[in-house]
Amino acid sequence: MKDIVIPSNSEMNRKSFLFGTATSSFQIEGDIAGREPCIWDTFCEKEGAIADKSDGVRACEHIERWKDDVALLQDLNVDAYRFSISWPRVVSASGELREEGLSFYIQLLDSLNDAGIKPFVTLYHWDLPQYLEDKGGWVNRDTVFAFEHYVDVITKALGDRVYSYATFNEPFCSAFLGYEIGVHAPGKVGRKLGRAAAHHILLAHGKGMKVLRKNAPKALSGIVLNFTPCYASSDKREDLEATKNADEYINQWYMQPVMEGAYPEVIDLVDDNDKPPIEPGDMQEICQPIDFLGINFYTRLHYSAAKDQSKLYFEHEHNQPKTDIGWEIYPQALYDLLTSLHSRYQLPPIYITENGAAMADEMVDGEVNDMDRIEYFSGHMTSVSKAIDHGVKVSGYFAWSLMDNFEWAEGYLKRFGIVHVDFETQKRTLKASAKAFKKLLVSRY
Ligand code: FCB
């Protein structure tokens, strides 16, 4: 069996470095009868939206099988488990707490805590209640206050069971993919919509942070952002400029407001009509102190100047080698990212809250020999380790994902799990990568 290889003197070999796996509610839970509909239920019904025409009706049946899944986490020897709360499972359209949904999360949290596994809870991992989308979703400023209310009632109800809260997972994906280019739920299109959604999500983060400080003062609270580092196709001035625009538009647009209370310079290149609907005081509200920054990393992107001068940048195809979802494998970019953020911002401690790979897994004689995924983990963990040596404070690493699940617009076709799921029988099987992950975790001192 192949191991996940990281430098032998790495800080990550110590028990003080936290290792976990991650999932999200819509991707694993199923049991849609037990909650209000969300934007992903609606999106899945849209012709052509999901590659295999699937939906979240069953997913991994985690609502029924959660005890087995906690046992899996124990078997893996993880320190922590990152999962999200489904807002439409715990809050009804009239704003009341839904007792059945709440009781599910309380049982899950109690059982994780009993097992000594730290719960890292994400409050929003893309499953907006449809009743809010019906009133405009994240384009409507009222959704910010609905989120504030949700955070207030859920954190009060969960008490001190949660080790860490993240307000949002990847605002870029919700805003840009969901409201600007429409490839994710709710499938809206337009720069004005995308920029408004991003602004309201960021504002909701700031307001959510304040509620967390009040209701969960002992929890480690922050936000999870995804970064796709941008590389220029040449050293020509116009290509470098376009690459800077891209980085600011897709990455720093979310980071800079959270850290410094300002949008990046590229905002000046956005038409006035499309600019975010900033009201007085918003930027200060967004920029709340955070205890940690969660970073999700998968790949990098390549850019050059667009021929059409009205465009901010031109994005190229991914380079080889690629994972099964078509994303370039380039671990160095994770090192470059961590060290550049470290020199650019006053960073709080960082958790790598997602990193992993979709691979074309094959089950042979009951085993999945995913050496390619093990190699992906080795390369990326080594980059994290080097960044720590460079002085970046990284406190933990979560593999995406605990198990194969509903991969959004790709449906069940792309497998990111370290545990294989047979979606017919729901049988879980540890892949070679899960065994290697466990071996690494057990070997720490
Ligand atoms: C991230 C999402 C996560 C998962 C991975 C592959 O953008 O946060 O839910 O789908 O990508």
Side-chain angles (χ1 to χ4, degrees):
M1 184 183 111
K2 205 166 164 182
D3 294 333
I4 294 176
V5 184
I6 58 174
S8 58
N9 60 350
S10 172
E11 283 296 316
M12 296 169 80
N13 287 315
R14 296 182 185 276
K15 286 223 170 87
S16 52
F17 187 87
L18 183 142
F19 272 107
T21 60
T23 62
S24 88
S25 46
F26 190 86
Q27 294 179 278
I28 65 165
E29 284 184 352
D31 181 40
I32 64 170
R35 60 165 169 77
E36 303 282 344
C38 77
I39 53 174
W40 275 92
D41 298 316
T42 314
F43 192 65
C44 287
E45 284 169 12
K46 205 171 140 186
E47 185 72 36
I50 312 295
D52 61 358
K53 302 186 168 55
S54 63
D55 53 40
V57 172
R58 284 185 74 195
C60 304
E61 294 185 353
H62 174 68
I63 294 285
E64 292 95 89
R65 297 169 191 272
W66 67 270
K67 284 189 184 146
D68 297 342
D69 294 335
V70 171
L72 260 182
L73 290 164
Q74 278 185 283
D75 180 33
L76 289 172
N77 222 55
V78 293
D79 310 310
Y81 173 51
R82 174 174 179 253
F83 66 98
S84 75
I85 290 181
S86 159
W87 181 354
R89 199 178 284 289
V90 295
V91 183
S92 70
S94 58
E96 303 294 309
L97 261 179
R98 302 179 83 260
E99 287 301 332
E100 208 185 310
L102 175 64
S103 115
F104 167 73
Y105 292 111
I106 288 187
Q107 288 184 70
L108 175 62
L109 285 164
D110 284 345
S111 133
L112 289 169
N113 284 317
D114 286 348
I117 298 170
K118 293 183 167 64
F120 275 63
V121 169
T122 307
L123 290 162
Y124 186 84
H125 199 126
W126 309 356
D127 40 1
L128 184 74
Q130 183 62 40
Y131 58 75
L132 291 174
E133 183 56 37
D134 293 343
K135 296 187 206 153
W138 286 112
V139 176
N140 182 349
R141 195 173 167 98
D142 290 347
T143 301
V144 174
F145 304 102
F147 180 77
E148 202 181 13
H149 169 74
Y150 154 55
V151 178
D152 185 44
V153 294
I154 192 70
T155 51
K156 276 185 184 144
L158 297 181
D160 57 6
R161 293 179 175 86
V162 176
Y163 180 81
S164 161
Y165 279 111
T167 51
F168 283 86
N169 175 71
E170 304 188 348
F172 161 84
C173 291
S174 294
F176 185 78
L177 302 183
Y179 290 88
E180 191 155 330
I181 63 168
V183 297
H184 275 188
K188 300 269 158 63
V189 180
R191 178 164 281 171
K192 190 182 180 68
L193 299 181
R195 297 301 104 183
H199 184 67
H200 292 143
I201 290 171
L202 289 167
L203 184 58
H205 154 74
K207 292 200 181 287
M209 280 303 301
K210 286 182 152 179
V211 177
L212 288 168
R213 295 301 184 208
K214 196 158 59 111
N215 293 356
K218 288 195 210 131
L220 201 68
S221 295
I223 186 169
V224 170
L225 302 179
N226 61 303
F227 290 86
T228 312
C230 303
Y231 291 74
S233 60
S234 88
D235 283 342
K236 281 197 227 134
R237 192 183 47 83
E238 57 271 29
D239 290 337
L240 294 173
E241 259 169 33
T243 306
K244 178 172 175 279
N245 287 344
D247 180 51
E248 291 189 353
Y249 199 72
I250 68 169
N251 296 317
Q252 312 306 332
W253 195 279
Y254 307 88
M255 178 70 171
Q256 207 176 319
V258 167
M259 300 301 299
E260 298 174 344
Y263 283 108
E265 279 171 5
V266 73
I267 194 173
D268 297 338
L269 304 179
V270 171
D271 277 358
D272 278 349
N273 185 44
D274 294 338
K275 283 199 173 50
I278 308 173
E279 293 193 8
D282 282 4
M283 299 315 291
Q284 292 89 307
E285 194 77 348
I286 292 171
C287 173
Q288 298 295 319
I290 49 176
D291 300 325
F292 78 96
L293 172 69
I295 291 184
N296 291 356
F297 176 89
Y298 290 93
T299 190
R300 67 165 172 173
L301 282 169
H302 303 270
Y303 294 91
S304 59
K307 293 214 171 66
D308 171 351
Q309 297 220 331
S310 69
K311 299 249 168 15
L312 299 173
Y313 49 77
F314 176 78
E315 183 191 314
H316 293 258
E317 256 292 281
H318 286 256
N319 279 357
Q320 299 287 353
K322 296 178 191 172
T323 63
D324 192 41
I325 202 168
W327 299 347
E328 183 185 351
I329 304 171
Y330 189 72
Q332 171 72 30
L334 179 51
Y335 173 82
D336 294 348
L337 169 70
L338 292 170
T339 51
S340 70
L341 291 177
H342 177 66
S343 56
R344 162 79 181 72
Y345 295 100
Q346 288 286 328
L347 294 177
I350 285 172
Y351 287 88
I352 304 300
T353 33
E354 284 180 29
N355 178 233
M359 293 296 182
D361 296 330
E362 270 177 75
M363 173 82 89
V364 182
D365 298 333
E367 307 221 341
V368 179
N369 239 329
D370 54 341
M371 296 305 156
D372 40 9
R373 187 174 286 107
I374 291 179
E375 225 164 87
Y376 181 97
F377 282 130
S378 297
H380 288 80
M381 285 187 197
T382 299
S383 284
V384 173
S385 178
K386 284 188 188 153
I388 295 173
D389 293 344
H390 178 91
V392 188
K393 172 95 180 101
V394 185
S395 304
Y397 175 101
F398 291 80
W400 183 270
S401 173
L402 168 62
M403 55 188 159
D404 296 334
N405 56 47
F406 176 78
E407 179 43 39
W408 309 113
E410 305 289 341
Y412 297 95
L413 300 176
K414 301 300 171 198
R415 292 177 177 270
F416 274 91
I418 60 172
V419 173
H420 177 272
V421 177
D422 178 325
F423 292 110
E424 280 306 310
T425 63
Q426 291 294 335
K427 185 170 187 283
R428 278 70 160 141
T429 308
L430 265 59
K431 300 179 191 176
S433 57
K435 294 177 190 164
F437 195 62
K438 174 176 177 175
K439 190 171 171 196
L440 172 72
L441 270 49
V442 172
S443 73
R444 288 170 304 158
Y445 54 89

